[in-house]
């Protein structure tokens, strides 16, 4: 299909695309043509123009082999990188544009390897046929601007449906990660997945285990940080994929006791995630979203049936923090993300000990100190965790948390809560006690921090007396 065959709206979209990316696209297209090679804008770059969301990253495909691509662009590009060359991809920076140029290819997994096998192709149509979904199997040839859509991707785009170019069974067998991509695109684009693809995902869910943890992590992270994560997560659970990549999630579907005295934890979790997203400013907040998703994962392990038909989940926040840390570590998330998410899971119930304001100033200081750099996220997670349908109860909880935040603000005006330290530092402790650096200084510092948390600012002299009293009680004075 040529640009002239498109509807007026579609033609304006393609024309607008090339007004934005010219001269870089036409310039590089002419360079490849001069060397006897094809070049086309492809995949998400074409899809996104019809969604009015084109950025500065362009995906291109060519019949030239990677070494030939390097030869063509080496004197033209501002920078070139070859980290993806084993998969046929060369990265190029030209001005403010980032281009990835990939040789026509087909890739598949054998059943004993976690890495895709890559073989090069010779035609654009063959390359498009191997792509994950028809909406990503559209291209625009360069420099002539011919629109190529052999699998009806534009129609699918207008219908907001995800369908594979060939049979979903063959597509998902070639690259099982595409099953996760379907869920990710459901979240990012708000598209529905073709029923035949859903059927194949359900039948082939176990095939995902051949894919590396890092690739699974990337798709899950994009899904959770998408615009509609509920849709993507629900699809993972319904097809059985979640049982392989995020098994804690489907396990939250606890049967409700006959008296309905506790919520469906799975549905509650999805609501908490949505409510946390509504509190983001700005977003998406990766740590907050993962903490919301995993905040109750400890409930299945800690569930107990109590007298009178009650159900309890004692210490599920502690168990959940350990489980969250394990899962995110196995998915190869960065250590800081693992630490922050698991800490939020551990702290998410702390507020419920506040009651109607019974905490002392000391307890408020501890809350702030324990929250540390995560305090703002902890505020949001705690508020998002209220999913009661009882409007009076919800309003009361909100007012109580407002009061807590007001107390934190008041104390922050009086003290630097986020930087609470003992009034005596390590050097002063050593001088007063007449000791050298070692365990005694550490114990003394910890005691003085407790004094600071309990009593606030008491002054250097009073702090000195507190230290000496502790030292006498501990028999550490020489």
């Amino acid at each position: 299909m040529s640009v002239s065959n498109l509807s007026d709206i579609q033609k304006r979209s393609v024309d607008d695309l090339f007004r934005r990316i010219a001269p870089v696209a036409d310039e590089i297209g002419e360079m490849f043509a001069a060397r006897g090679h094809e070049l086309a804008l492809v995949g998400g770059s074409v899809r996104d123009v019809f969604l009015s969301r084109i950025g500065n990253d362009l995906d291109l495909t060519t019949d030239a082999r990677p070494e030939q691509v390097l030869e063509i662009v080496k004197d033209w590009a501002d920078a070139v990188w070859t980290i993806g060359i084993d998969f046929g991809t060369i990265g190029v920076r030209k001005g403010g544009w980032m281009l990835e140029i990939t040789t026509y290819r087909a890739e598949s997994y054998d059943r004993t390897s976690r890495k895709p096998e890559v073989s090069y192709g010779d035609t654009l149509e063959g390359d498009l046929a191997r792509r994950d979904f028809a909406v990503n199997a559209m291209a625009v040839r360069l420099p002539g601007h011919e629109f190529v859509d052999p699998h009806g991707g534009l129609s699918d785009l207008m219908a907001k449906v995800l369908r594979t170019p060939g049979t979903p069974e063959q597509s998902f067998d070639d690259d099982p990660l595409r099953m996760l991509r379907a869920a990710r695109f459901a979240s990012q684009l708000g598209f529905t997945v073709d029923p035949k693809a859903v059927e194949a995902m359900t039948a082939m869910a176990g095939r995902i285990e051949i894919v590396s943890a890092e690739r699974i992590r990337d798709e899950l992270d994009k899904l959770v940080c998408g615009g509609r994560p509920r849709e993507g997560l629900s699809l993972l659970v319904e097809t059985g994929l979640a049982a392989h990549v995020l098994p804690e999630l489907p396990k939250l579907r606890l049967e409700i006791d006959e008296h309905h005295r506790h919520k469906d934890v799975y549905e509650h979790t999805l609501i908490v995630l949505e409510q946390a997203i509504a509190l983001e400013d700005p977003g998406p907040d990766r740590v907050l979203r993962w903490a919301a998703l995993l905040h109750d994962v400890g409930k299945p392990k800690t569930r107990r049936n109590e007298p009178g038909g009650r159900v309890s989940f004692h210490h599920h926040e502690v168990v959940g923090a350990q489980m969250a840390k394990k899962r995110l570590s196995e998915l190869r998330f960065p250590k800081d993300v693992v630490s922050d998410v698991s800490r939020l899971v551990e702290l998410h119930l702390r507020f419920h000990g506040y009651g109607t304001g019974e905490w002392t100033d000391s307890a408020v200081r501890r809350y702030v100190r324990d929250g540390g750099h995560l305090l703002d996220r902890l505020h949001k997670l705690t508020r998002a965790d209220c999913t009661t349908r009882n409007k009076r109860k919800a309003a009361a909880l909100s007012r109580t948390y407002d009061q807590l935040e007001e107390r934190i603000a008041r104390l922050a005006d009086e003290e630097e809560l986020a930087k609470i330290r003992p009034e005596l530092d390590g050097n002063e402790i050593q001088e007063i006690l007449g000791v050298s650096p070692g365990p005694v200084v550490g114990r003394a510092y910890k005691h003085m921090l407790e004094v600071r948390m309990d009593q606030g600012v008491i002054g250097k002299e009073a702090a000195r007396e507190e230290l000496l009293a502790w030292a006498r009680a501990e028999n550490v004075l020489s």
Side-chain angles (χ1 to χ4, degrees):
M1 180 188 296
S2 68
V3 172
S4 60
N5 296 131
L6 297 173
S7 71
D8 288 341
I9 293 177
Q10 295 157 359
K11 185 176 187 301
R12 283 198 299 271
S13 295
V14 175
D15 288 345
D16 179 63
L17 166 65
F18 283 99
R19 276 195 299 271
R20 288 198 58 198
I21 68 175
V24 65
D26 287 342
E27 190 174 322
I28 193 172
E30 289 167 358
M31 289 166 51
F32 273 72
R35 301 290 187 95
H37 291 295
E38 298 177 356
L39 186 71
L41 191 70
V42 73
S45 294
V46 178
R47 178 200 69 218
D48 285 350
V49 70
F50 291 106
L51 298 175
S52 301
R53 44 181 259 173
I54 189 70
N56 291 329
D57 297 337
L58 303 178
D59 294 326
L60 301 161
T61 188
T62 180
D63 62 344
R65 298 302 189 253
E67 296 76 14
Q68 294 171 313
V69 173
L70 282 172
E71 183 64 27
I72 294 171
V73 303
K74 67 178 182 179
D75 295 326
W76 174 79
D78 296 328
V80 175
W81 58 96
T82 59
I83 191 170
I85 195 168
D86 290 343
F87 298 99
T89 299
I90 302 296
V92 171
R93 178 173 60 81
K94 181 66 173 180
W97 297 96
M98 306 295 287
L99 289 69
E100 285 198 347
I101 307 169
T102 302
T103 302
Y104 296 157
R105 67 187 187 190
E107 62 185 29
S108 62
Y109 281 80
D110 69 37
R111 294 189 173 271
T112 62
S113 173
R114 287 183 175 271
K115 294 183 178 181
E117 297 177 341
V118 176
S119 58
Y120 297 131
D122 298 310
T123 67
L124 175 60
E125 288 74 15
D127 181 85
L128 296 178
R130 72 151 192 94
R131 293 185 175 263
D132 51 6
F133 301 104
V135 295
N136 294 328
M138 300 181 288
V140 178
R141 292 185 184 273
L142 301 174
H145 303 182
E146 178 191 356
F147 180 66
V148 183
D149 182 18
H151 302 286
L154 189 56
S155 296
D156 285 359
L157 197 67
M158 298 301 112
K160 295 186 176 182
V161 64
L162 292 171
R163 183 177 52 82
T164 56
T167 67
E169 291 80 7
Q170 182 61 54
S171 180
F172 298 154
D173 195 56
D174 285 346
D175 184 355
L177 190 69
R178 291 172 177 171
M179 296 186 287
L180 287 192
R181 284 198 197 120
R184 189 246 290 184
F185 284 129
S187 170
Q188 286 186 325
L189 303 177
F191 285 15
T192 59
V193 181
D194 178 71
K196 291 182 179 178
V198 173
E199 185 178 339
M201 291 165 65
T202 304
M204 302 173 66
R207 186 85 168 98
I208 196 66
E209 294 192 3
I210 199 65
V211 181
S212 70
E214 291 82 359
R215 297 184 78 209
I216 289 173
R217 173 204 63 211
D218 289 346
E219 291 300 325
L220 287 177
D221 200 35
K222 291 174 182 176
L223 186 163
V224 170
C225 291
R228 301 170 181 82
R230 173 189 279 269
E231 282 80 352
L233 293 168
S234 297
L235 184 60
L236 292 184
V237 171
E238 291 163 7
T239 58
L241 277 163
H244 298 277
V245 299
L246 198 62
E248 296 79 6
L249 187 60
K251 287 180 181 178
L252 294 176
R253 294 190 296 182
L254 301 176
E255 57 189 59
I256 301 174
D257 63 281
E258 59 180 338
H259 301 292
H260 295 270
R261 287 181 176 159
H262 74 81
K263 303 182 185 76
D264 172 9
V265 183
Y266 170 69
E267 178 63 22
H268 164 76
T269 294
L270 296 181
I271 294 173
V272 171
L273 175 58
E274 291 175 324
Q275 293 186 165
I277 291 171
L279 295 173
E280 289 177 331
D281 182 27
D285 185 330
R286 179 193 211 185
V287 168
L288 177 62
R289 292 193 183 200
W290 276 101
L293 182 61
L294 300 176
H295 80 284
D296 272 350
V297 293
K299 280 191 170 180
K301 281 192 175 182
T302 59
R303 183 184 182 186
R304 298 289 183 273
N305 293 318
E306 305 289 356
R310 293 185 305 106
V311 176
S312 68
F313 305 98
H314 294 309
H315 306 301
H316 77 269
E317 73 280 12
V318 177
V319 173
Q322 296 168 347
M323 293 173 64
K325 183 176 183 180
K326 182 175 185 292
R327 174 56 51 206
L328 295 179
S329 296
E330 289 180 352
L331 287 170
R332 307 290 194 271
F333 273 90
K335 290 182 179 179
D336 61 327
V337 174
V338 175
S339 176
D340 287 352
V341 171
S342 58
R343 183 61 169 159
L344 284 172
V345 172
E346 181 182 2
L347 293 174
H348 84 273
L349 282 186
R350 182 73 64 84
F351 163 70
H352 294 284
Y354 186 73
T356 57
E358 287 84 358
W359 279 0
T360 63
D361 284 353
S362 172
V364 175
R365 292 188 193 100
R366 292 177 190 279
Y367 188 74
V368 173
R369 182 173 179 82
D370 289 347
H373 71 282
L374 297 169
L375 185 62
D376 183 60
R377 289 183 172 122
L378 181 57
H379 290 331
K380 293 174 181 176
L381 179 58
T382 301
R383 290 183 180 277
D385 195 24
C386 176
T387 61
T388 178
R389 294 180 181 178
N390 185 320
K391 293 183 179 180
R392 182 176 298 178
K393 182 179 179 181
L397 284 169
S398 181
R399 283 195 303 271
T400 303
Y401 206 84
D402 287 343
Q403 293 168 5
L404 174 58
E405 290 200 67
E406 288 167 5
R407 289 183 66 185
I408 290 171
R410 176 177 58 79
L411 288 172
D413 286 340
E414 300 170 1
E415 316 167 25
E416 291 188 71
L417 281 184
K419 300 178 181 178
I420 287 179
R421 299 288 186 273
E423 289 186 75
L424 301 175
D425 63 24
N427 291 330
E428 290 170 315
I429 289 171
Q430 292 175 54
E431 182 180 344
I432 293 168
L433 298 183
V435 297
S436 301
V440 169
V441 177
R443 287 164 51 204
Y445 185 93
K446 183 177 180 181
H447 171 73
M448 294 310 297
L449 178 58
E450 292 295 316
V451 170
R452 174 71 173 80
M453 297 291 286
D454 289 338
Q455 301 181 37
V457 178
I458 61 176
K460 288 283 189 181
E461 187 57 35
R464 183 177 185 279
E465 292 304 318
E466 283 281 356
L467 175 62
L468 288 172
W470 171 85
R472 285 191 291 269
E474 295 289 318
N475 293 318
V476 298
L477 285 175
S478 57

Short mmCIF file of all heavy atoms in Angstrom, two decimals, residues 93-127:
data_model
loop_
_atom_site.label_atom_id
_atom_site.label_comp_id
_atom_site.label_asym_id
_atom_site.label_seq_id
_atom_site.Cartn_x
_atom_site.Cartn_y
_atom_site.Cartn_z
N ARG A 93 23.30 7.45 16.97
CA ARG A 93 22.78 8.76 17.39
C ARG A 93 23.15 9.78 16.33
O ARG A 93 24.29 9.87 15.89
CB ARG A 93 23.38 9.19 18.73
CG ARG A 93 22.89 10.58 19.18
CD ARG A 93 23.36 10.92 20.58
NE ARG A 93 24.80 10.94 20.70
CZ ARG A 93 25.58 11.96 20.33
NH1 ARG A 93 25.03 13.05 19.79
NH2 ARG A 93 26.89 11.91 20.47
N LYS A 94 22.13 10.54 15.90
CA LYS A 94 22.33 11.60 14.92
C LYS A 94 21.56 12.82 15.42
O LYS A 94 20.32 12.83 15.42
CB LYS A 94 21.83 11.18 13.54
CG LYS A 94 22.03 12.24 12.46
CD LYS A 94 23.50 12.49 12.16
CE LYS A 94 23.66 13.44 10.95
NZ LYS A 94 25.10 13.70 10.65
N GLY A 95 22.29 13.84 15.85
CA GLY A 95 21.62 14.99 16.44
C GLY A 95 20.83 14.55 17.66
O GLY A 95 21.35 13.87 18.54
N GLY A 96 19.56 14.92 17.71
CA GLY A 96 18.71 14.52 18.83
C GLY A 96 17.98 13.21 18.60
O GLY A 96 17.13 12.83 19.41
N TRP A 97 18.31 12.51 17.53
CA TRP A 97 17.61 11.27 17.19
C TRP A 97 18.43 10.05 17.60
O TRP A 97 19.65 10.02 17.45
CB TRP A 97 17.34 11.20 15.69
CG TRP A 97 16.42 12.29 15.23
CD1 TRP A 97 16.78 13.49 14.69
CD2 TRP A 97 15.00 12.30 15.31
NE1 TRP A 97 15.66 14.24 14.43
CE2 TRP A 97 14.55 13.54 14.79
CE3 TRP A 97 14.05 11.39 15.76
CZ2 TRP A 97 13.21 13.88 14.71
CZ3 TRP A 97 12.72 11.72 15.69
CH2 TRP A 97 12.31 12.95 15.17
N MET A 98 17.73 9.04 18.13
CA MET A 98 18.35 7.76 18.46
C MET A 98 17.74 6.71 17.53
O MET A 98 16.52 6.50 17.53
CB MET A 98 18.09 7.38 19.92
CG MET A 98 18.51 8.47 20.90
SD MET A 98 20.30 8.77 20.93
CE MET A 98 20.85 7.30 21.77
N LEU A 99 18.58 6.07 16.74
CA LEU A 99 18.10 5.10 15.76
C LEU A 99 18.64 3.71 16.09
O LEU A 99 19.81 3.56 16.45
CB LEU A 99 18.59 5.48 14.35
CG LEU A 99 17.98 6.70 13.65
CD1 LEU A 99 18.38 7.99 14.34
CD2 LEU A 99 18.43 6.74 12.18
N GLU A 100 17.78 2.71 15.98
CA GLU A 100 18.21 1.32 16.05
C GLU A 100 17.95 0.68 14.70
O GLU A 100 16.80 0.63 14.25
CB GLU A 100 17.47 0.56 17.16
CG GLU A 100 17.97 0.91 18.55
CD GLU A 100 17.57 -0.12 19.60
OE1 GLU A 100 16.70 -0.98 19.28
OE2 GLU A 100 18.13 -0.07 20.71
N ILE A 101 19.00 0.21 14.08
CA ILE A 101 18.91 -0.36 12.73
C ILE A 101 19.17 -1.85 12.84
O ILE A 101 20.25 -2.28 13.23
CB ILE A 101 19.94 0.29 11.79
CG1 ILE A 101 19.80 1.82 11.84
CG2 ILE A 101 19.76 -0.23 10.37
CD1 ILE A 101 20.94 2.55 11.13
N THR A 102 18.16 -2.64 12.48
CA THR A 102 18.24 -4.09 12.66
C THR A 102 18.10 -4.79 11.32
O THR A 102 17.21 -4.47 10.52
CB THR A 102 17.12 -4.59 13.60
OG1 THR A 102 17.26 -3.91 14.86
CG2 THR A 102 17.22 -6.08 13.83
N THR A 103 18.98 -5.73 11.07
CA THR A 103 18.92 -6.52 9.84
C THR A 103 17.66 -7.37 9.82
O THR A 103 17.25 -7.90 10.86
CB THR A 103 20.16 -7.42 9.73
OG1 THR A 103 21.34 -6.59 9.77
CG2 THR A 103 20.15 -8.22 8.44
N TYR A 104 17.02 -7.48 8.64
CA TYR A 104 15.87 -8.38 8.51
C TYR A 104 16.22 -9.70 9.21
O TYR A 104 17.28 -10.26 8.99
CB TYR A 104 15.58 -8.68 7.04
CG TYR A 104 15.16 -7.52 6.18
CD1 TYR A 104 15.35 -7.58 4.79
CD2 TYR A 104 14.56 -6.39 6.72
CE1 TYR A 104 14.95 -6.54 3.96
CE2 TYR A 104 14.17 -5.34 5.90
CZ TYR A 104 14.37 -5.41 4.53
OH TYR A 104 13.99 -4.38 3.71
N ARG A 105 15.30 -10.19 10.01
CA ARG A 105 15.65 -11.39 10.76
C ARG A 105 14.43 -12.21 11.13
O ARG A 105 13.30 -11.75 11.04
CB ARG A 105 16.43 -11.03 12.02
CG ARG A 105 15.61 -10.29 13.06
CD ARG A 105 16.47 -9.81 14.21
NE ARG A 105 15.65 -9.24 15.28
CZ ARG A 105 16.12 -8.58 16.32
NH1 ARG A 105 17.42 -8.38 16.43
NH2 ARG A 105 15.32 -8.12 17.25
N ALA A 106 14.72 -13.40 11.59
CA ALA A 106 13.74 -14.26 12.24
C ALA A 106 14.43 -14.81 13.46
O ALA A 106 15.63 -15.10 13.44
CB ALA A 106 13.30 -15.38 11.30
N GLU A 107 13.70 -14.94 14.55
CA GLU A 107 14.32 -15.49 15.75
C GLU A 107 13.38 -16.49 16.39
O GLU A 107 12.16 -16.39 16.28
CB GLU A 107 14.68 -14.39 16.75
CG GLU A 107 13.51 -13.60 17.27
CD GLU A 107 13.96 -12.46 18.17
OE1 GLU A 107 15.07 -11.95 17.97
OE2 GLU A 107 13.18 -12.09 19.06
N SER A 108 13.94 -17.48 17.04
CA SER A 108 13.14 -18.49 17.72
C SER A 108 13.97 -19.07 18.85
O SER A 108 15.18 -18.87 18.92
CB SER A 108 12.70 -19.59 16.75
OG SER A 108 13.84 -20.25 16.22
N TYR A 109 13.32 -19.81 19.74
CA TYR A 109 13.99 -20.46 20.83
C TYR A 109 14.04 -21.96 20.56
O TYR A 109 13.08 -22.54 20.06
CB TYR A 109 13.22 -20.24 22.14
CG TYR A 109 13.45 -18.90 22.77
CD1 TYR A 109 12.78 -17.77 22.32
CD2 TYR A 109 14.33 -18.76 23.82
CE1 TYR A 109 12.97 -16.55 22.92
CE2 TYR A 109 14.54 -17.54 24.42
CZ TYR A 109 13.86 -16.44 23.97
OH TYR A 109 14.07 -15.22 24.56
N ASP A 110 15.19 -22.58 20.89
CA ASP A 110 15.10 -24.02 21.00
C ASP A 110 14.71 -24.32 22.44
O ASP A 110 14.74 -23.45 23.31
CB ASP A 110 16.40 -24.71 20.57
CG ASP A 110 17.56 -24.46 21.52
OD1 ASP A 110 17.32 -24.40 22.74
OD2 ASP A 110 18.71 -24.32 21.07
N ARG A 111 14.34 -25.53 22.73
CA ARG A 111 13.75 -25.82 24.04
C ARG A 111 14.79 -26.04 25.12
O ARG A 111 14.46 -26.36 26.26
CB ARG A 111 12.82 -27.02 23.93
CG ARG A 111 11.62 -26.70 23.06
CD ARG A 111 10.56 -27.77 23.08
NE ARG A 111 9.38 -27.32 22.36
CZ ARG A 111 8.38 -26.67 22.89
NH1 ARG A 111 8.41 -26.37 24.17
NH2 ARG A 111 7.35 -26.30 22.15
N THR A 112 16.06 -25.84 24.79
CA THR A 112 17.11 -26.01 25.80
C THR A 112 17.86 -24.72 26.05
O THR A 112 18.80 -24.69 26.83
CB THR A 112 18.12 -27.08 25.34
OG1 THR A 112 18.75 -26.65 24.13
CG2 THR A 112 17.42 -28.41 25.11
N SER A 113 17.44 -23.62 25.42
CA SER A 113 18.18 -22.36 25.54
C SER A 113 17.28 -21.23 25.98
O SER A 113 16.10 -21.18 25.65
CB SER A 113 18.81 -22.00 24.18
OG SER A 113 19.40 -20.72 24.23
N ARG A 114 17.88 -20.30 26.78
CA ARG A 114 17.15 -19.10 27.19
C ARG A 114 17.38 -17.95 26.21
O ARG A 114 16.81 -16.88 26.37
CB ARG A 114 17.60 -18.67 28.59
CG ARG A 114 17.07 -19.59 29.67
CD ARG A 114 17.48 -19.09 31.04
NE ARG A 114 16.87 -19.90 32.09
CZ ARG A 114 15.69 -19.66 32.62
NH1 ARG A 114 14.98 -18.63 32.22
NH2 ARG A 114 15.21 -20.43 33.58
N LYS A 115 18.23 -18.13 25.23
CA LYS A 115 18.53 -17.06 24.29
C LYS A 115 17.93 -17.36 22.92
O LYS A 115 17.99 -18.50 22.45
CB LYS A 115 20.05 -16.87 24.16
CG LYS A 115 20.70 -16.38 25.44
CD LYS A 115 22.18 -16.15 25.23
CE LYS A 115 22.83 -15.61 26.50
NZ LYS A 115 24.28 -15.35 26.32
N PRO A 116 17.36 -16.36 22.26
CA PRO A 116 16.79 -16.60 20.93
C PRO A 116 17.88 -16.87 19.91
O PRO A 116 18.98 -16.32 19.99
CB PRO A 116 16.07 -15.28 20.62
CG PRO A 116 16.73 -14.26 21.47
CD PRO A 116 17.20 -14.96 22.70
N GLU A 117 17.56 -17.75 18.97
CA GLU A 117 18.47 -17.98 17.85
C GLU A 117 18.10 -17.00 16.75
O GLU A 117 16.93 -16.86 16.40
CB GLU A 117 18.32 -19.42 17.34
CG GLU A 117 18.71 -20.47 18.39
CD GLU A 117 18.49 -21.88 17.88
OE1 GLU A 117 17.73 -22.03 16.89
OE2 GLU A 117 19.07 -22.81 18.43
N VAL A 118 19.09 -16.31 16.22
CA VAL A 118 18.83 -15.27 15.23
C VAL A 118 19.32 -15.73 13.87
O VAL A 118 20.46 -16.19 13.72
CB VAL A 118 19.52 -13.95 15.61
CG1 VAL A 118 19.32 -12.91 14.51
CG2 VAL A 118 18.97 -13.44 16.94
N SER A 119 18.47 -15.62 12.87
CA SER A 119 18.88 -15.85 11.48
C SER A 119 18.40 -14.67 10.66
O SER A 119 17.35 -14.10 10.94
CB SER A 119 18.29 -17.15 10.95
OG SER A 119 16.87 -17.13 11.01
N TYR A 120 19.20 -14.27 9.69
CA TYR A 120 18.88 -13.09 8.89
C TYR A 120 17.99 -13.43 7.72
O TYR A 120 18.06 -14.51 7.14
CB TYR A 120 20.16 -12.43 8.39
CG TYR A 120 21.05 -11.92 9.51
CD1 TYR A 120 22.40 -12.22 9.55
CD2 TYR A 120 20.50 -11.15 10.54
CE1 TYR A 120 23.20 -11.76 10.59
CE2 TYR A 120 21.29 -10.68 11.57
CZ TYR A 120 22.64 -10.99 11.59
OH TYR A 120 23.42 -10.52 12.63
N GLY A 121 17.12 -12.46 7.38
CA GLY A 121 16.23 -12.62 6.24
C GLY A 121 16.64 -11.71 5.10
O GLY A 121 17.61 -10.95 5.21
N ASP A 122 15.87 -11.75 4.01
CA ASP A 122 16.23 -10.98 2.81
C ASP A 122 15.15 -10.02 2.36
O ASP A 122 15.40 -9.20 1.48
CB ASP A 122 16.56 -11.94 1.66
CG ASP A 122 17.76 -12.82 1.97
OD1 ASP A 122 18.80 -12.25 2.39
OD2 ASP A 122 17.66 -14.04 1.82
N THR A 123 13.95 -10.11 2.94
CA THR A 123 12.87 -9.25 2.47
C THR A 123 12.19 -8.55 3.64
O THR A 123 12.12 -9.09 4.76
CB THR A 123 11.81 -10.05 1.70
OG1 THR A 123 11.14 -10.94 2.60
CG2 THR A 123 12.44 -10.83 0.56
N LEU A 124 11.65 -7.38 3.37
CA LEU A 124 10.90 -6.65 4.38
C LEU A 124 9.64 -7.43 4.77
O LEU A 124 9.30 -7.52 5.96
CB LEU A 124 10.52 -5.26 3.85
CG LEU A 124 9.62 -4.42 4.75
CD1 LEU A 124 10.29 -4.16 6.10
CD2 LEU A 124 9.25 -3.10 4.07
N GLU A 125 8.97 -7.99 3.79
CA GLU A 125 7.74 -8.73 4.08
C GLU A 125 8.02 -9.92 5.00
O GLU A 125 7.24 -10.22 5.90
CB GLU A 125 7.10 -9.21 2.78
CG GLU A 125 6.46 -8.10 1.96
CD GLU A 125 7.48 -7.21 1.24
OE1 GLU A 125 8.66 -7.62 1.15
OE2 GLU A 125 7.11 -6.11 0.80
N GLY A 126 9.15 -10.60 4.77
CA GLY A 126 9.52 -11.72 5.64
C GLY A 126 9.82 -11.26 7.05
O GLY A 126 9.46 -11.93 8.03
N ASP A 127 10.47 -10.10 7.15
CA ASP A 127 10.78 -9.55 8.47
C ASP A 127 9.50 -9.18 9.22
O ASP A 127 9.37 -9.45 10.42
CB ASP A 127 11.67 -8.32 8.31
CG ASP A 127 12.05 -7.71 9.65
OD1 ASP A 127 13.04 -8.18 10.24
OD2 ASP A 127 11.37 -6.78 10.09
#
